[in-house]
């Protein structure tokens, strides 16, 4: 059975602190140490579990902050990167160069910033797909036209087809679309039990 937004409804319920502002990125055949280099990052101590990742990220946050904090792990040939209160994964200035020779899938949402969410697929420095999580009408990228039916099936909102549940489905649908493009399922156990390899990188 194909993955849908319903398979990821647990995210906001089980991890509300992370869901408040997050970016999840999946990078193919780029191990964490190389990903850190591609982001121009600096290593930080490992932490166990996403709650510790979130707590550390917000402990570092303040008016003088110039860097964001993230955790990485490996799932087969993929490196998931979790950014609490960060957005490097969907920042084209960072993501497109960092996607050289690889596939880069990322989604971001910030509840406190008027649900400012976006999805990005880059491959070998080319933008394949980008759209705002709650405005799926406006798809850009070289593969955008190929995915309209998939995006609609997963539960994203289209203005000509409004429903009462679209806004609630945007983030779960983003996880489902990332799984569709990578074959990797993010699970509660992964977030709860992983010892994350951590780093920081400057804002851009």
């Amino acid at each position: 059975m194909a993955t849908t937004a319903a398979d990821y409804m647990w995210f906001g319920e089980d991890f509300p602190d992370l869901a408040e502002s997050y970016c999840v990125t999946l990078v193919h055949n780029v191990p964490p140490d190389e990903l850190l280099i591609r982001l121009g990052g600096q290593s930080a101590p490992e932490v166990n579990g996403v709650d510790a990742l979130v707590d550390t990220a917000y402990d570092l946050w303040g008016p003088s902050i110039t860097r964001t904090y993230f955790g990485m792990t490996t799932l087969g040939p993929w490196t998931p990167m979790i950014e609490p209160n960060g957005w490097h994964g969907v920042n084209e200035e960072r993501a497109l160069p960092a996607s050289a020779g690889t596939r880069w899938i990322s989604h971001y949402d910030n509840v406190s910033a008027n649900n400012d969410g976006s999805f990005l697929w880059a491959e070998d420095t080319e933008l394949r797909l980008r759209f705002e999580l709650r405005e799926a009408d406006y798809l850009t990228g070289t593969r955008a036209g190929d995915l309209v039916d998939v995006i609609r099936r997963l539960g994203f909102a289209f203005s000509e087809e409004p429903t009462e549940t679209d806004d609630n489905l945007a983030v779960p649908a983003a996880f489902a679309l990332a799984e569709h493009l990578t074959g990797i399922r993010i699970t509660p156990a992964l977030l709860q039990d992983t010892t994350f390899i951590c780093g920081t990188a400057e804002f851009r």
Side-chain angles (χ1 to χ4, degrees):
M1 183 179 295
T3 300
T4 68
D7 295 296
Y8 286 98
M9 294 301 290
W10 53 264
F11 177 66
E13 299 168 0
D14 294 354
F15 301 96
D17 293 337
L18 179 60
E20 185 76 17
S21 179
Y22 82 90
C23 186
V24 172
T25 304
L26 291 158
V27 187
H28 190 246
N29 279 337
V30 177
D33 57 346
E34 183 181 341
L35 180 54
L36 190 63
I37 293 170
R38 290 188 181 212
L39 292 171
Q42 298 175 357
S43 62
E46 295 181 352
V47 299
N48 186 38
V50 77
D51 289 342
L53 193 70
V54 171
D55 289 345
T56 303
Y58 279 91
D59 285 346
L60 294 173
W61 193 260
S64 61
I65 188 171
T66 61
R67 307 180 70 83
T68 59
Y69 176 80
F70 49 88
M72 301 167 288
T73 188
T74 55
L75 281 177
W78 291 87
T79 294
M81 178 174 73
I82 313 294
E83 299 178 72
N85 206 27
W87 55 89
H88 289 310
V90 295
N91 181 341
E92 290 184 32
E93 187 177 345
R94 282 199 181 274
L96 293 185
S99 73
T102 189
R103 173 174 285 202
W104 180 288
I105 307 293
S106 186
H107 51 99
Y108 156 83
D109 194 45
N110 188 330
V111 174
S112 60
N114 298 315
N115 292 316
D116 174 28
S118 58
F119 191 99
L120 181 144
W121 166 19
E123 196 150 341
D124 200 17
T125 74
E126 178 183 85
L127 181 65
R128 298 291 181 89
L129 175 69
R130 185 179 187 110
F131 65 97
E132 301 305 305
L133 295 189
R134 295 167 181 82
E135 296 181 27
D137 305 68
Y138 307 107
L139 306 175
T140 59
T142 59
R143 294 289 303 278
D146 302 340
L147 290 166
V148 174
D149 290 342
V150 172
I151 289 168
R152 180 176 282 109
R153 175 181 63 78
L154 292 176
F156 287 102
F158 286 80
S159 60
E160 74 275 16
E161 303 167 6
T163 73
E164 294 180 358
T165 59
D166 281 337
D167 189 63
N168 293 331
L169 290 178
V171 167
F175 276 93
L177 180 56
E179 181 178 342
H180 174 81
L181 293 170
T182 65
I184 294 297
R185 175 165 292 198
I186 302 298
T187 65
L190 173 73
L191 297 180
Q192 290 168 342
D193 302 334
T194 294
T195 297
F196 290 99
I197 301 164
C198 298
T200 66
E202 289 187 357
F203 288 120
R204 280 191 185 175

